[in-house]
Amino acid sequence: MQIIEQYSTPFYKNIVDLPPSMVRKLWKGNKIMILDIRTPQEYIEHHIPGSVLIPMDYLEVLSEYFSDKEVAVVCEHGNRARYATYGMPHLYKKRSIYMIGGMVGWMSMGYEVESGMDENGTKWEQWLDEKLK
């Protein structure tokens, strides 16, 4: 499989911008974790199956749970995800992927989505409770 990668800046070689089609190929091949940084309400409305919710406000506090993995960072339109990757590059030890277009781009391609809250949507609350004990 050929992966076309686009770097938005020469300063962060571990951050890559990819379209939803390439993110989906990596995700289907179990090569990346999809990190959803939207609010719980947005996650309930629709999310990528298997994505892990960590709301953007808690990324820094809970970074130990994803910093050692290759992640694709996803939000609704791509603005928060861009900030979470390029504005907080210290959170990712391995490659992080900014998914161009966010969930809107994903859904416009007709890719799979789920509704409702699941186990991956509540993990962040459990992790936060563990840290606060």
Side-chain angles (χ1 to χ4, degrees):
M1 169 174 56
Q2 179 182 8
I3 297 178
I4 300 169
E5 296 181 344
Q6 174 187 349
Y7 295 92
S8 287
T9 174
F11 303 110
Y12 302 116
K13 292 292 187 188
N14 66 318
I15 301 173
V16 180
D17 291 5
L18 290 178
S21 58
M22 295 309 302
V23 170
R24 185 170 182 268
K25 283 183 184 178
L26 292 170
W27 170 65
K28 286 287 194 178
N30 291 322
K31 296 186 188 312
I32 60 168
M33 168 186 163
I34 295 183
L35 182 61
D36 192 325
I37 63 165
R38 300 174 303 150
T39 65
Q41 293 80 13
E42 290 173 300
Y43 186 88
I44 289 170
E45 270 186 36
H46 55 269
H47 60 272
I48 299 169
S51 62
V52 175
L53 173 67
I54 300 181
M56 192 165 127
D57 294 342
Y58 299 98
L59 279 177
E60 190 125 22
V61 175
L62 299 174
S63 65
E64 68 191 67
Y65 295 99
F66 61 84
S67 65
D68 62 336
K69 298 175 174 73
E70 288 195 13
V71 297
V73 183
V74 178
C75 68
E76 191 66 24
H77 299 281
N79 298 326
R80 288 173 282 180
R82 181 171 282 286
Y83 176 73
T85 52
Y86 288 98
M88 298 189 255
H90 59 285
L91 297 182
Y92 312 97
K93 293 177 187 151
K94 291 197 172 188
R95 181 169 72 160
S96 62
I97 299 166
Y98 162 68
M99 188 172 84
I100 301 165
M103 284 299 297
V104 171
W106 181 275
M107 291 186 304
S108 70
M109 299 294 291
Y111 297 149
E112 52 274 277
V113 292
E114 290 180 344
S115 296
M117 187 56 75
D118 58 14
E119 182 182 324
N120 286 340
T122 58
K123 283 183 180 179
W124 71 277
E125 293 172 318
Q126 297 164 5
W127 294 335
L128 195 59
D129 285 344
E130 288 172 11
K131 289 190 79 68
L132 294 175
K133 288 184 181 178

